[in-house]
């Protein structure tokens, strides 16, 4: 009997190895439909899977959304179907998952700076791979900052980028203007082994952006460095076309709007401030709704293809209109997420206070998904406590990316559209980010940049006009 059982185990392992060698995902994909809650399943008193949250029933979601977002549903500005996002369908590389398990008791955070420390040495670790804090105790007074670090490391693992994206300025009735950006990011931390880059200057990341359109912004470029050293502030330089010169910019200005928009540099993918530049308090673990990309949720994101020299290239063949301004006869606000669903998730809610009194915002409240580690709501208040801006980010699933001849299956987030919204609550307007000008606009990840020639002052001046 034991021999037969062992033979069966070996057969299953062999078949799994053959499937992977043949270019098959190493996890069930797309996700098993039976995992999703069926239409009609209650998610809150009076709300069910399949319902559309709108003016008629928005009050029933009062305990599941930030007040300013709930108001959009109450006023008819937003309307979205409620869908199921079950636990257990978020996958990553096998090496990443194994490292995450090994990290369970490996790290802590410095109570003064918030920096991650290796428990064995009491020092900042040379390198972290995997989610650093996979099991956060709700009673841990430093639970919030640990959730923030998980959010960063999860995002960084998608690798270095080169993409073209548009910023769209919107008002309640439509679009005001848009700008096309050419953007490069080099991430050094939490990279899969095949994508690690020598890092003699101990960077966390480097970034470069250049405005291509419209004409009045063309040639406006910025260069950004962030170091791992917790005491070293970010460095930012901007090429100013009117002066035809490169100028250093204070790190305090990372909270200001990019190109006159309502999107700040510290918004980024959700929150991109340096954690050590803030003090942190844990509000708690709670349930709530988040905006979610519906195709990704079903495992139907755009396919990623490997391009030698350019990394993984993402295409979005469906490319649905993602915001109200692009919808004919839309009655809601211009920035509303139109091709999206609401899903009920568990969140770590964390409060951040800038150490720099010149920072635009005095308090931030972050809602971070406790399983995917993707942020949902970033609520920004002034120093008196009044809400000024809410950065709203949609959730998504990782999808398999299979490189010819490579044994390990890679997993990268994938969608059919992007919607990130920086809403100026006081001025009743919003800037949308991450949108693509066409389904095949440049969007490459895990790119091997020539970092010595790309992220320097000469490149910044060359891009400037």
């Amino acid at each position: 009997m034991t021999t037969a059982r062992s033979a069966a185990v070996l057969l299953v392992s062999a078949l799994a190895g053959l499937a992977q060698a043949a270019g098959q995902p190493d996890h069930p994909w797309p996700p098993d439909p039976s995992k999703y809650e069926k239409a009609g399943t209650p998610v809150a008193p009076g709300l069910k899977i399949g319902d559309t949250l709108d003016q008629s029933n928005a009050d029933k979601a009062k305990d599941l959304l930030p007040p300013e977002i709930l108001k959009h549903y109450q006023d008819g500005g937003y309307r979205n179907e409620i869908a199921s996002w079950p636990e257990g369908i978020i996958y990553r590389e096998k090496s990443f998952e194994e490292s995450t398990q090994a990290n369970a008791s490996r790290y802590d955070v410095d109570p003064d700076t918030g920096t991650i420390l290796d428990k064995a040495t009491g020092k900042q670790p040379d390198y972290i791979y995997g989610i650093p804090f996979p099991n956060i105790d709700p009673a841990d007074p430093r639970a919030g900052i640990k959730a923030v670090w998980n959010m960063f490391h999860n995002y960084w693992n998608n690798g270095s980028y080169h993409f073209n994206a548009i910023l769209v300025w919107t008002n309640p009735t439509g679009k005001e203007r848009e700008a096309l950006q050419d953007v490069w990011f080099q991430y050094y931390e939490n990279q899969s082994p095949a994508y690690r880059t020598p890092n003699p200057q101990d960077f966390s990341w480097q970034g470069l952006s250049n405005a291509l359109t419209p004409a009045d912004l063309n040639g406006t470029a910025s260069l950004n460095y962030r170091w791992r050293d917790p005491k070293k502030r970010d460095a930012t330089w901007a090429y100013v076309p009117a002066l035809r010169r490169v100028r250093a910019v204070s790190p305090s200005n990372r909270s200001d709007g990019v190109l006159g928009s309502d999107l700040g540099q510290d918004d980024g993918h959700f929150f991109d401030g340096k954690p050590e530049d803030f003090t942190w308090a844990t509000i708690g673990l709670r349930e709530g709704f988040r905006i979610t990309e519906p195709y990704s949720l079903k495992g139907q994101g755009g396919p990623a293809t490997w391009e030698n020299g350019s990394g993984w290239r993402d295409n979005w063949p469906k490319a649905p209109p993602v915001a109200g301004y692009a919808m004919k006869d839309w009655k809601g606000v211009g920035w509303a997420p139109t091709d999206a669903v609401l899903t009920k998730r568990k969140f770590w809610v964390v409060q951040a206070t800038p150490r720099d009194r010149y920072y635009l915002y005095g308090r931030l409240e972050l809602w971070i998904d406790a399983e995917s580690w993707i942020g949902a709501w970033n609520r920004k208040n002034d120093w008196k406590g009044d809400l000024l801006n809410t950065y709203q980010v949609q959730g998504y699933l990782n999808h398999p990316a299979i490189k010819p001849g490579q044994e390990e299956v890679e997993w990268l987030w994938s969608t059919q559209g992007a919607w990130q919204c920086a809403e100026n609550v006081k001025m009743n307007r919003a800037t949308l980010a991450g949108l693509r000008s066409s389904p095949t606009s440049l969007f490459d990840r895990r790119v091997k940049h020539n970092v010595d020639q790309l992220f320097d002052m000469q490149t910044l001046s060359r891009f400037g006009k």
Side-chain angles (χ1 to χ4, degrees), residues 51 102 175 200 235 258 265 347 358 464:
D51 288 351
K175 179 178 74 172
V258 174
Q265 284 185 295
F347 297 96
Y358 290 98

Side-chain angles (χ1 to χ4, degrees), residues 24 69 71 85 167 188 231 243 250 334 338 340 362 416:
Q24 298 297 318
I69 305 301
K71 188 174 185 297
W85 182 345
L167 295 179
Y188 293 90
K231 297 181 180 179
L243 301 177
S250 167
T338 52
Q416 292 285 355

Side-chain angles (χ1 to χ4, degrees), residues 318-400:
K318 297 184 185 297
V322 298
Y325 77 87
M327 296 284 290
K328 184 180 180 181
D329 299 326
W330 174 253
K331 303 301 183 184
V333 294
W335 59 86
T338 52
D339 185 68
V341 294
L342 286 170
T343 54
K344 187 179 179 182
R345 304 288 291 167
K346 289 183 179 179
F347 297 96
W348 284 103
V349 183
V350 188
Q351 182 175 294
T353 302
R355 298 180 191 271
D356 185 344
R357 294 289 297 182
Y358 290 98
Y359 199 80
L360 178 60
Y361 303 108
R363 187 180 74 245
L364 289 75
E365 181 183 292
L366 311 179
W367 292 38
I368 301 171
D369 192 306
E371 184 193 19
S372 72
W373 304 113
I374 303 165
W377 314 110
N378 178 350
R379 310 178 67 226
K380 294 173 282 186
N381 298 269
D382 65 18
W383 287 92
K384 296 180 179 179
D386 294 330
L387 184 69
L388 297 180
N389 186 299
T390 299
Y391 193 36
Q392 308 155 39
V393 176
Q394 65 181 1
Y396 42 77
L397 297 184
N398 292 334
H399 286 48

Side-chain angles (χ1 to χ4, degrees), residues 30-104:
D32 183 351
S34 68
K35 289 182 175 290
Y36 297 84
E37 297 169 301
K38 295 180 180 179
T41 303
V43 295
L47 295 175
K48 305 181 297 296
I49 299 294
D51 288 351
T52 295
L53 192 70
D54 57 20
Q55 285 178 294
S56 67
N57 57 4
D59 290 346
K60 297 174 182 177
K62 63 181 178 64
D63 296 325
L64 296 170
L65 288 167
E68 68 279 6
I69 305 301
L70 177 67
K71 188 174 185 297
H72 284 316
Y73 289 98
Q74 292 171 327
D75 295 346
Y78 286 13
R79 62 188 310 271
N80 297 97
E81 183 180 327
I82 300 170
S84 170
W85 182 345
E87 293 185 356
I89 59 172
I90 299 169
Y91 304 119
R92 301 177 177 91
E93 278 97 308
K94 181 179 179 182
S95 60
F96 186 96
E97 292 177 339
E98 290 174 346
S99 294
T100 295
Q101 293 175 6
N103 291 341

